[in-house]
């Protein structure tokens, strides 16, 4: 059984939907109930003995510098393409760190650190079962938990995809190869990195879901959502 060796945390984006808060503060550093969101992610990784952490930054990159001093084993990696391209560019610049790796966004709250357990059987995406409409990406699986398709425009039944995925070293090699192919040769700069395994090269991966509850991860995409969670913003 493989074990997670390291983590790649995406934190390069502009966070435009959270303006004006993100004019001076990158979204992952916005405090929720007194704690920056990215620290919720890092602390949860540490709780699972995942200390080799690469944080990919871009917008207001200098604001993240304190994390290196606060967290042993944490590295900052600058994405020089953050202001021009989609998040495929962030994983592209971090591609040499891919091995038995967990990839997740820095602008979320991890309420259940156990979902980052280092033990895993195969490459997988975290997903929560839904029985009503979600406009997020929704995965559909077979009886063995293997992802057979994904609706990027949402669906009313299936498994809502979260920005937390685990990759075996074997699949990481394929992911790295396809990142280079799409980014360097095919000039696919405006796609999400998840498009590679979930759509563009889906048949070359066998992805499963890691079932989670819908409150294990909280993704905050608007100030209105933030106000519901942290009364200090009301």
């Amino acid at each position: 059984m493989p074990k997670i060796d390291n983590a790649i945390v995406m934190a390069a984006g502009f966070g435009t939907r959270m303006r004006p808060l993100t004019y001076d503060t990158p979204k992952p550093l916005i405090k929720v109930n007194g704690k920056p969101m990215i620290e919720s992610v890092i602390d949860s990784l540490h709780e699972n003995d995942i200390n080799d952490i690469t944080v990919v930054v871009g917008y207001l990159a200098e604001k993240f510098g304190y994390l290196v001093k606060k967290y042993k084993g944490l590295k900052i990696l600058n994405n020089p393409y953050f202001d021009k391209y989609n998040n495929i560019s962030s994983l592209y610049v971090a591609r040499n760190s891919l091995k038995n790796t967990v990839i997740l966004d820095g602008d979320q709250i991890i309420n259940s650190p156990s979902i980052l357990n280092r033990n895993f059987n195969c490459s997988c995406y975290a997903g929560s079962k839904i029985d009503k409409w979600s406009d997020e990406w929704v995965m559909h699986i077979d009886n063995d938990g293997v992802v057979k398709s994904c609706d990027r425009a949402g669906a009313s039944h299936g498994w809502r995809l979260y920005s937390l995925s685990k990759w075996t070293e074997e699949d990481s090699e394929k992911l790295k190869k396809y990142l280079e192919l799409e980014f360097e040769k095919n000039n696919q700069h405006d796609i999400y990195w998840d498009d590679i395994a979930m759509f563009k090269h889906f048949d070359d991966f066998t992805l499963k879901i890691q079932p989670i509850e819908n409150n294990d991860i909280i993704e905050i995409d608007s100030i209105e959502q933030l106000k519901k969670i942290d009364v200090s913003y009301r």
Side-chain angles (χ1 to χ4, degrees), residues 57-177:
V57 300
Y59 176 62
L60 298 176
E62 69 280 0
K63 301 275 188 174
F64 293 90
Y66 81 96
L67 294 173
V68 176
K69 297 179 180 178
K70 184 168 184 176
Y71 294 99
K72 184 178 179 181
L74 186 143
K75 301 177 289 292
I76 300 290
L77 181 62
N78 279 283
N79 175 4
Y81 311 105
F82 82 92
D83 58 344
K84 296 182 290 186
Y85 303 142
N86 210 332
N87 80 352
I88 185 177
S89 63
S90 285
L91 193 58
Y92 171 77
V93 300
R95 66 193 184 281
N96 291 325
S97 295
L98 287 166
K99 36 191 172 179
N100 289 318
T101 300
V102 58
I103 307 172
L104 64 170
D105 286 350
D107 57 350
Q108 57 190 348
I109 307 298
I110 306 294
N111 284 328
S112 300
S114 61
I115 64 177
L116 292 171
N117 191 293
R118 291 181 63 199
N119 296 311
F120 72 122
N121 294 315
C122 61
S123 298
C124 57
Y125 272 89
S128 64
K129 195 169 186 179
I130 60 167
D131 56 8
K132 61 181 180 180
W133 178 260
S134 170
D135 57 6
E136 302 289 344
W137 288 15
V138 176
M139 300 175 288
H140 304 283
I141 64 173
D142 64 15
N143 292 332
D144 295 317
V146 176
V147 179
K148 306 307 292 183
S149 65
C150 181
D151 287 318
R152 66 164 64 246
S156 56
H157 292 84
W159 294 80
R160 183 210 161 167
L161 182 149
Y162 287 82
S163 57
L164 189 165
S165 56
K166 297 175 180 178
W167 300 86
T168 64
E169 190 166 13
E170 179 182 359
D171 282 340
S172 283
E173 283 297 317
K174 289 191 283 187
L175 191 55
K176 178 182 175 181
K177 177 182 72 174

